[in-house]
Amino acid sequence: MRIGLVGTGRIGTFHAVALSRHPAVESLLVADADPARAAAAAARTGGRAVTVDEVFAGGVDAVVIASATAAHAGLIGRAARAGLPAFCEKPVALDLPGTLAALAEVEAAGSVLQLGFMRRFDAGYRAAREAVREGRLGRLHTVRAVTSDPAPPPAAYLPLSGGLFRDCLIHDFDMVRWVTGREVTEVYATGSDAGPAAFREAGDVSTAAALLTLDDRTLVTATATRCNGAGYDVRMELAGDLDQIAVGLDDRTPLTSVEPGGPDAPLKAWPGFLERFAPAYEAELDAFLRLAAGRATNPCDAREALAALRIAEACERSRRERRPVALAEIPGG
């Protein structure tokens, strides 16, 4: 297959390396708004640096979009109009109206779009999903989701990120739906901007917490922070009336027990998302290549991504208005 990649930042370069190593990829065209950055990624992977226009005019079989978030919707539209299967990092757009417009274009064209929710390909989350779906936990009553970044992103990124709920916790919201098989009906969320001043200047928060109620009355807490100095911490705990399990609890989890005889601090905590989820990122691209070749179904289509975004939108509204928000209030359902 001939693959076009747009965007060669941190995650884009990771994808370029993974694609260059995949046996199904015969050639790789690499584009970026910064030509020098595209050239560097192409040199590293054996691809060919081109312009974005050349990607869409170059006879590629599929497109991988890892550009800045503000460019996602436009590139998704170009791929749809060109009839090209597209993989796009989340989110589809910076806001809900932009997301709905982009999805309408994909549906009108009848094209293929897979969204990058890599946790669906993580071994731990997949095992948790299987345990819940097979009833091994009994009646599920409590879910606890945690995403903690070790350090804030660059200040210039914050106004473009969409905020902590849309940029970070959206992965947890997707996992809540995917693992449990249930829908969120109501949220109550809050956040704190007591961290670095850049968050206040961007109108964002550095730490957030949300209480979600599922349609079977299971309760979910989801927390996130950009300031977890111990390391990168992503976990999910699921408790039922028969058993309790945890995702992301291993010898690299940045969590130290203070109990006598408890486990020591990890020797090498997870430093970031690329290291923690590297196998999952590679697996999702493999799934996309099989999807683009017509050999697999879509593991995360745009409607699934929209469902997670609507939860994030409800949380942001709840934070601003200091009240519970029903998902029925959010357009796109």
Side-chain angles (χ1 to χ4, degrees):
M1 298 178 70
R2 196 177 190 205
I3 304 298
L5 171 72
V6 181
T8 55
R10 182 168 51 165
I11 189 61
T13 298
F14 183 95
H15 287 333
V17 171
L19 289 167
S20 70
R21 295 173 177 170
H22 198 285
V25 177
E26 299 170 3
S27 63
L28 181 64
L29 303 184
V30 179
D32 193 280
D34 181 349
R37 196 161 66 173
R44 179 177 175 182
T45 60
R48 181 162 66 91
V50 298
T51 66
V52 174
D53 288 341
E54 288 175 311
V55 166
F56 289 98
V60 297
D61 298 304
V63 176
V64 173
I65 300 168
S67 61
T69 297
H72 286 184
L75 292 168
I76 287 171
R78 290 189 71 169
R81 293 189 295 274
L84 291 171
F87 171 92
C88 185
E89 281 298 330
K90 62 83 192 165
V92 171
L94 285 171
D95 56 24
L96 188 57
T99 298
L100 293 172
L103 300 193
E105 192 160 12
V106 170
E107 292 180 357
S111 58
V112 171
L113 174 63
Q114 178 183 329
L115 266 293
F117 283 93
M118 77 291 184
R119 295 187 194 180
R120 292 182 176 223
F121 299 88
D122 176 74
Y125 282 106
R126 295 176 77 88
R129 184 178 195 263
E130 182 178 327
V132 172
R133 301 300 181 91
E134 291 182 355
R136 299 204 298 267
L137 306 186
R139 179 187 63 85
L140 191 66
H141 53 74
T142 306
V143 179
R144 293 177 285 269
V146 175
T147 292
S148 299
D149 288 335
Y157 173 76
L158 294 176
L160 307 175
S161 71
L164 192 58
F165 291 107
R166 301 184 189 95
D167 183 56
C168 185
L169 274 166
I170 193 168
H171 282 290
D172 297 276
F173 300 151
D174 181 62
M175 281 299 93
V176 167
R177 297 182 63 253
W178 190 75
V179 170
T180 68
R182 313 303 306 193
E183 297 294 340
V184 174
T185 59
E186 185 180 79
V187 310
Y188 188 74
T190 188
S192 169
D193 63 2
F199 289 93
R200 293 186 291 278
E201 294 165 1
D204 196 5
V205 294
S206 58
T207 302
L211 174 63
L212 317 177
T213 302
L214 305 188
D215 57 12
D216 63 350
R217 291 178 289 179
T218 296
L219 296 181
V220 180
T221 59
T223 64
T225 184
R226 301 286 200 186
C227 305
N228 196 56
Y232 182 69
D233 187 11
V234 169
R235 283 175 286 125
M236 174 180 273
E237 300 170 4
L238 301 109
D241 53 17
L242 294 181
D243 202 358
Q244 180 174 232
I245 58 175
V247 178
L249 187 61
D250 59 22
D251 60 3
R252 298 191 68 180
T253 303
L255 186 67
T256 302
S257 173
V258 295
E259 293 294 334
D264 295 328
L267 295 176
K268 187 178 180 182
W270 292 110
F273 64 90
L274 284 179
E275 294 82 4
R276 167 66 177 84
F277 288 110
Y281 278 116
E282 293 181 359
E284 73 174 354
L285 284 180
D286 176 72
F288 172 64
L289 294 175
R290 289 186 284 111
L291 171 65
R295 301 199 309 270
T297 57
N298 197 334
C300 187
D301 63 25
R303 287 290 161 185
E304 292 288 293
L306 175 61
L309 176 61
R310 291 181 65 244
I311 300 169
E313 291 285 335
C315 286
E316 185 58 41
R317 181 177 296 185
S318 176
R319 179 183 77 86
R320 289 197 316 268
E321 300 180 5
R322 296 179 176 273
R323 67 176 180 89
V325 173
L327 262 290
E329 297 180 43
I330 307 302

